[in-house]
Amino acid sequence: MSTETDLPPELDIAYPAVEPDADTTAGDHDTSMETIVELCKRRGLIFQSSEIYGGLRGAWDYGPLGAALKDNVKAAWKRAMIQMRDDVVQLDASILMHPKVWEASGHVAGFTDPLVECRSCNQRWRADHLEPDADGVTKCPNCSSTELTAPKAFNLMFRTFVGPTEDTSAQVWMRPETAQAMFVDFALIQFASRQKVPFGIAQVGKSFRNEITPRNFIFRVREFEQMEMEFFVRPGTDEQWHEYWIKQRWDWYTRLGMRPENLRVREHGRDELSHYAKRTVDVEYRFPFAWSELEGIANRADFDLTQHSKHSGKDLDYYDQERDERYIPFVIEPAAGVDRTALAFLVDAYREEEATSASGKAEKRTVLKLHHALAPLKAAVLPLSRNEKLVPTAQRVADILRPHWLIQYDDAGSIGKRYRRQDEVGTPFCVTVDFETVEDDQAVTVRDRDTMTQERVSIDRLLGYMQDKLQLA
Ligand code: GAP
């Protein structure tokens, strides 16, 4: 433990770190993107926006179970980053901000990707996503023409107008990251919450980027959600805090069941660092298509508060009473995407296993071994049949569980089929009501998703049993 009060505690957490140019090849996987996309569509987790009109690229809708999964990812993040700590407070800022925010942050001038256009088919591409072929020639992925324009900088921010006048004085941007509100509101929040540096401001919310080539399902989209935290520290303690937050974030993913062999921490190279960053690492996940960024953890130094102070004319420095000194805090920023994180958890949880059906036949079962905290449904209540003797008791059992968790009452099809349906969406427990329940013991059979073992539990004890079994993140 450090003796300085504004240094982080030492954490006994190890993670694999790789060089900036580490190989990104994913290798063999338990699943493919096609399988995950198909499962998500079939089970109404995630599907294309406006599908009946042909869809809108880079926009996805989360159906009933997908919305629950996403809520659970956000809740687990907020629990770890805010609720379980006394040094981080929450902000829910508006998406539209004063346009000067984005001038100060550098987004108006520099939030760009290199855009090339095919002179033959007029398709537009992100130049750094085009791979030259074996002869070193770069071709249009659509029509194979080599006639591509020189790259030009394309700003990724969506613009819109406030009020009825559509001229530049009314122009605003849809925020491309949630981070800036935490800097702009720093002084207000620090004063109102009486937090002392080191402390953090966390926010979960929508961001928008007009990506040139959205791709890989919900990995790169134009409308997405971020979970970002800006942690303000005394200059000189920033490097220790950066290391601390890398470990904390690593721990969060693995505690939620992500397989450590599918995670790594990659250092940004000098040429890759953003204009604001002193040092950045990415937490990368081994997606089926490649090792790719899940979360960026940056040391932003005093860039943002200095910029906003200059552009707004307001002092954003901090008076450190203990040290009797004034300084502009440095900032450590763990910045994750909700959609990308949900995708990584889905991929990581996906398994195809051999199982035995009720009639003793070997069959394949698809199961999402999601951490209980992330599973969209915590339990399914399954009356053995629709027999009128069973229904009132099955509904009573559902009513016992419903105030505590999102559950499903399912009475359609054979029990085996219903188990498979729940396995496929990761429901940890299936609770079956049979004739013995109503005629004999007032107990239900609880089947565990992962072990497929079954236990007889009395209805009176069921709530306590589930509370004991369901792990929190
Ligand atoms: N405030 C710093 C920042 O926004 P970033 O690396 O650009 O950093 C942070 O974004 C995270 O947001 C990424 O690691 C990713 O998870 C998510 N993200 C960024 N762009 C995205 C996109 N187009 N689609 C989905 N998620 C995205």
Side-chain angles (χ1 to χ4, degrees):
M1 190 75 165
S2 149
T3 49
E4 293 240 32
T5 53
D6 61 359
L7 280 174
E10 271 157 33
L11 299 178
D12 188 17
I13 295 169
Y15 56 83
V18 297
E19 296 294 315
D21 57 355
D23 184 10
T24 59
T25 315
D28 283 348
H29 233 283
D30 287 346
T31 186
S32 65
M33 286 304 288
E34 292 72 30
T35 307
I36 296 292
V37 173
E38 187 277 327
L39 173 70
C40 285
K41 182 171 180 190
R42 186 163 45 79
R43 298 308 313 272
L45 283 146
I46 307 162
F47 37 85
Q48 233 194 335
S49 155
S50 331
E51 206 203 30
I52 61 167
Y53 289 100
L56 180 70
R57 269 194 85 198
W60 296 86
D61 292 349
Y62 289 74
L65 299 183
L69 169 68
K70 206 160 163 265
D71 278 351
N72 294 343
V73 169
K74 291 185 278 186
W77 188 88
K78 285 190 196 173
R79 184 175 148 81
M81 302 294 278
I82 304 167
Q83 185 186 333
M84 300 300 286
R85 311 184 58 98
D86 58 10
D87 57 357
V88 179
V89 293
Q90 191 178 357
L91 172 67
D92 182 355
S94 55
I95 288 171
L96 302 177
M97 298 179 77
H98 195 291
K100 281 194 176 160
V101 168
W102 307 108
E103 283 169 30
S105 67
H107 282 82
V108 172
F111 194 57
T112 58
D113 275 337
L115 173 82
V116 293
E117 187 170 338
C118 172
R119 291 188 210 277
S120 175
C121 70
N122 298 112
Q123 289 264 6
R124 291 168 173 203
W125 307 100
R126 215 175 119 169
D128 56 335
H129 283 174
L130 296 181
E131 296 279 350
D133 65 13
D135 304 322
V137 182
T138 306
K139 292 182 178 157
C140 170
N142 184 45
C143 71
S144 299
S145 163
T146 54
E147 293 295 305
L148 301 173
T149 59
K152 63 171 190 239
F154 171 75
N155 197 301
L156 298 186
M157 285 195 293
F158 281 99
R159 64 184 94 196
T160 186
F161 301 93
V162 285
T165 325
E166 293 202 358
D167 64 25
T168 45
S169 66
Q171 184 186 293
V172 293
W173 307 98
M174 310 281 283
R175 70 177 176 202
E177 61 173 16
T178 56
Q180 292 305 318
M182 271 90 90
F183 305 127
V184 171
D185 293 346
F186 164 75
L188 273 173
I189 293 178
Q190 190 271 320
F191 178 75
S193 63
R194 293 185 294 118
Q195 287 284 346
K196 291 195 171 85
V197 169
F199 81 99
I201 308 177
Q203 172 164 217
V204 176
K206 287 256 174 168
S207 292
F208 301 83
R209 295 185 189 179
N210 198 1
E211 299 283 355
I212 298 169
T213 42
R215 58 180 174 178
N216 288 325
F217 191 32
I218 51 170
F219 178 81
R220 187 181 307 286
V221 288
R222 291 186 170 131
E223 176 180 341
F224 55 100
E225 276 188 278
Q226 288 186 307
M227 308 181 281
E228 297 198 285
M229 198 269 289
E230 310 303 322
F231 199 77
F232 301 91
V233 305
R234 177 169 61 86
T237 63
D238 50 303
E239 291 177 11
Q240 289 99 318
W241 277 108
H242 195 195
E243 201 49 46
Y244 168 88
W245 278 109
I246 297 168
K247 288 182 173 171
Q248 284 286 5
R249 296 302 302 142
W250 170 272
D251 191 49
W252 185 78
Y253 290 107
T254 52
R255 258 189 299 127
L256 280 165
M258 208 173 269
R259 289 178 269 180
E261 62 271 28
N262 290 337
L263 280 172
R264 68 185 190 185
V265 172
R266 189 182 67 80
E267 191 77 35
H268 275 210
R270 290 254 132 251
D271 53 341
E272 189 187 355
L273 279 180
S274 306
H275 59 281
Y276 52 74
K278 176 173 162 186
R279 180 187 170 214
T280 300
V281 301
D282 285 345
V283 178
E284 292 192 334
Y285 180 73
R286 194 171 68 88
F287 288 99
F289 47 88
W291 281 95
S292 301
E293 175 186 343
L294 197 51
E295 163 161 359
I297 307 174
N299 179 345
R300 299 180 72 119
D302 58 359
F303 177 82
D304 305 274
L305 290 181
T306 305
Q307 284 295 100
H308 287 303
S309 192
K310 272 193 210 150
H311 284 250
S312 67
K314 299 278 185 318
D315 274 345
L316 293 176
D317 55 3
Y318 170 79
Y319 175 61
D320 186 329
Q321 270 178 336
E322 267 171 48
R323 298 180 161 261
D324 189 21
E325 63 186 44
R326 251 178 205 288
Y327 51 78
I328 297 217
F330 272 32
V331 172
I332 307 302
E333 176 195 67
V338 179
D339 311 74
R340 240 176 237 194
T341 305
L343 177 60
F345 278 122
L346 281 172
V347 168
D348 212 73
Y350 186 91
R351 309 277 199 291
E352 285 174 14
E353 293 180 346
E354 291 296 321
T356 313
S357 73
S359 59
K361 271 205 310 216
E363 60 178 24
K364 190 186 85 172
R365 83 164 179 145
T366 298
V367 54
L368 284 186
K369 292 197 169 170
L370 287 168
H371 189 285
H372 291 172
L374 300 178
L377 302 167
K378 306 299 182 219
V381 176
L382 316 175
L384 193 63
S385 71
R386 288 183 177 151
N387 186 296
E388 60 186 21
K389 273 192 177 170
L390 301 180
V391 172
T393 306
Q395 279 175 349
R396 180 160 62 88
V397 168
D399 287 344
I400 291 172
L401 301 180
R402 210 169 257 134
H404 303 271
W405 304 287
L406 193 65
I407 61 149
Q408 197 168 64
Y409 183 92
D410 184 4
D411 60 7
S414 74
I415 276 288
K417 279 215 178 92
R418 283 183 270 166
Y419 282 159
R420 299 289 172 266
R421 271 207 291 271
Q422 296 301 332
D423 285 347
E424 216 175 36
V425 294
T427 310
F429 297 105
C430 284
V431 179
T432 306
V433 175
D434 53 26
F435 288 99
E436 222 179 312
T437 313
V438 289
E439 287 165 1
D440 186 8
D441 61 359
Q442 286 294 307
V444 289
T445 303
V446 182
R447 171 186 177 272
D448 181 293
R449 173 197 72 193
D450 298 335
T451 59
M452 291 192 286
T453 51
Q454 305 197 355
E455 227 180 303
R456 202 79 188 157
V457 180
S458 78
I459 295 176
D460 290 350
R461 271 204 317 119
L462 181 63
L463 182 57
Y465 174 92
M466 293 270 302
Q467 279 165 335
D468 287 348
K469 288 261 175 179
L470 280 170
Q471 306 156 34
L472 282 171

